[in-house]
Amino acid sequence: TVDAQRSHENLVRSPAISSVFLHRYGYERVTGLVKAGQQSGRGLVQEAIAQGLLAEGDVRALLAIAATGTSI
């Protein structure tokens, strides 16, 4: 069976999610977030939250918007 919470946690830790943020933040900033997230062990999303670019509650909404093919 699929564990939705675990799947979400794996997704937000993965650098593959970076494409969701390219339109909003640009390649250079997203690349920096990915690198900083890897160095800190937090991952891209948690790094963006730590830097004040993203609120915790915004993550699922942004993923839902991206899943529909709409730019964020």
Side-chain angles (χ1 to χ4, degrees):
T1 63
V2 174
D3 182 338
Q5 181 62 33
R6 175 100 172 145
S7 294
H8 175 77
E9 290 170 3
N10 288 336
L11 176 63
V12 298
R13 284 191 193 118
S14 171
I17 197 171
S18 63
S19 62
V20 172
F21 300 97
L22 288 174
H23 181 73
R24 177 178 273 188
Y25 298 115
Y27 180 81
E28 295 297 322
R29 182 148 223 187
V30 172
T31 301
L33 288 169
V34 169
K35 288 179 182 178
Q38 288 174 336
Q39 289 174 347
S40 69
R42 289 190 284 236
L44 168 76
V45 171
Q46 290 301 318
E47 189 64 35
I49 291 169
Q51 291 188 24
L53 298 173
L54 187 64
E56 184 73 41
D58 294 337
V59 176
R60 287 190 190 268
L62 290 174
L63 291 174
I65 291 168
T68 65
T70 306
S71 297
I72 58 171

